[in-house]
């Protein structure tokens, strides 16, 4: 497990006043990375870190030379652009160095405050983009309760298949359909087998479902044909994100056997 360092000290406070509010999602102890630009502009998307109700513009931090540590400065260079794949590929030592430098920069009393007043963009004035270019997306059942509930939709008499307790059940999803919050999309169309029918019909989904899921970004890869030891797995994970998984439940039963869902997701 990754050990907690000084950046998680609950006594820390920030010169960004909104980060000290008791109801903020982004205190100084929580500095998540993202990609943004000012809404309504043609600015280039770039890396940023949420702090209180603001976003710290990492390109501006770099231009101001507010971070001097070599390791952190190298990571900052990778984090200043978009997407964040270059930073993700650097590994946990680089991520940790940058997080520590940003934490010290944002703390109350930091001399960097004078340099970085113009590096803040209000979150409500920002447009977010995908933080990383996603080459692959694998969906796993990680909860026996979820696996049983979904299985019951399609196999009421045998909801939990025997392999579930032995091997992670996963399938490859369509990475091209992943986007940031606030998307609008058409109700999916596909083949649906009506109750009691032998022939499917092609029509719009009538049973559109959604699931709150936990997504994990894999930062550092492994060579083809090699495996990652369990005690090293956490060093490959860049971060976590909330994921909304949409499912066309009336299309899914017809197409998912035996190889899993396709147009239903």
């Amino acid at each position: 497990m990754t050990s907690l360092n000084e950046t998680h000290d609950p006594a820390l406070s920030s010169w960004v006043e909104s980060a000290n509010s008791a109801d903020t999602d982004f205190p100084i102890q929580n500095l998540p990375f993202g990609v943004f630009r000012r809404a309504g502009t043609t600015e280039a998307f770039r890396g940023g870190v949420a702090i209180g109700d603001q976003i710290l513009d990492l390109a501006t931090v770099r231009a101001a030379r507010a971070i001097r540590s070599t390791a952190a400065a190298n990571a900052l260079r990778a984090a200043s652009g978009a997407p964040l794949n270059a930073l993700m590929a650097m590994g946990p030592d680089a991520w940790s160095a940058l997080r520590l430098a940003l934490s010290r920069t944002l703390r109350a009393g930091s001399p960097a405050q004078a340099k970085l007043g113009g590096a803040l963009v209000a979150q409500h004035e920002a447009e977010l983009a995908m933080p990383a270019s996603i080459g692959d997306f694998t969906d796993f059942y990680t909860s026996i309760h979820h696996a049983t509930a979904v299985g019951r939709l399609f196999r009421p008499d045998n909801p939990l298949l025997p392999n579930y307790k032995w091997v992670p059940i996963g399938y490859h999803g369509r990475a091209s359909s992943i986007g940031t919050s606030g998307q609008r999309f058409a109700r999916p169309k596909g083949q649906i087998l009506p109750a009691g029918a032998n022939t499917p019909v092609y029509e719009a989904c009538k049973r559109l479902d959604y699931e709150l899921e936990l997504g994990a970004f894999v930062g550092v890869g492994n060579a083809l044909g090699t495996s990652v030891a369990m005690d090293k797995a956490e060093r490959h994970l860049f971060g976590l994100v909330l994921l909304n998984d949409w499912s066309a439940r009336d299309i899914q039963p017809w197409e998912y056997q035996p190889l899993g869902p396709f147009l239903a997701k």
Side-chain angles (χ1 to χ4, degrees):
M1 297 292 291
T2 300
S3 58
L4 299 184
N5 60 20
E6 65 181 75
T7 65
H8 294 274
D9 183 349
L12 294 179
S13 61
S14 174
W15 52 264
V16 181
E17 288 300 328
S18 59
N20 302 320
S21 173
D23 61 354
T24 183
D25 290 326
F26 306 111
I28 194 171
Q29 294 83 2
N30 179 27
L31 300 173
F33 291 94
V35 165
F36 82 102
R37 69 180 176 188
R38 288 178 175 83
T41 73
T42 58
E43 293 177 350
F45 282 103
R46 53 201 182 273
V49 165
I51 176 73
D53 61 5
Q54 305 290 308
I55 298 173
L56 182 68
D57 185 337
L58 296 182
T60 302
V61 174
R62 184 184 175 209
R65 299 183 179 274
I67 289 178
R68 296 292 186 175
S69 158
T70 300
N74 288 338
L76 178 63
R77 184 187 312 112
S80 298
L84 298 178
N85 294 63
L87 172 66
M88 293 166 63
M90 295 179 75
D93 293 337
W95 309 335
S96 183
L98 179 55
R99 176 186 168 84
L100 177 60
L102 291 173
S103 172
R104 290 174 174 172
T105 296
L106 289 165
R107 291 176 196 176
S110 169
Q113 178 178 357
K115 293 183 176 181
L116 298 181
L120 296 176
V121 177
Q123 291 180 24
H124 71 270
E125 296 177 354
E127 173 189 357
L128 301 182
M130 288 296 297
S133 176
I134 300 175
D136 190 30
F137 164 52
T138 305
D139 195 328
F140 288 96
Y141 281 149
T142 59
S143 162
I144 193 170
H145 306 290
H146 177 60
T148 303
V150 173
R152 192 173 288 119
L153 292 173
F154 309 122
R155 301 179 302 274
D157 299 328
N158 184 30
L160 192 65
L161 297 177
N163 63 338
Y164 178 82
K165 294 184 179 181
W166 294 90
V167 64
I169 306 302
Y171 60 87
H172 288 272
R174 290 184 293 168
S176 60
S177 69
I178 301 175
T180 56
S181 297
Q183 291 187 90
R184 297 177 62 86
F185 57 90
R187 185 172 289 270
K189 296 179 180 179
Q191 291 188 13
I192 298 171
L193 185 68
N198 295 317
T199 304
V201 296
Y202 179 81
E203 61 184 24
C205 160
K206 296 183 177 67
R207 296 173 57 203
L208 189 60
D209 196 4
Y210 58 91
E211 303 166 76
L212 176 64
E213 299 191 356
L214 182 67
F217 280 100
V218 178
V220 181
N222 54 304
L224 187 65
T226 65
S227 58
V228 176
M230 287 290 289
D231 62 350
K232 300 294 192 300
E234 190 174 357
R235 293 183 59 81
H236 291 255
L237 296 181
F238 177 70
L240 303 177
V241 68
L242 292 180
L243 179 70
N244 192 356
D245 179 22
W246 295 86
S247 303
R249 294 300 189 198
D250 44 1
I251 297 175
Q252 189 173 349
W254 175 246
E255 72 172 12
Y256 95 116
Q257 298 188 65
L259 296 179
F262 176 50
L263 294 178
K265 290 289 189 180

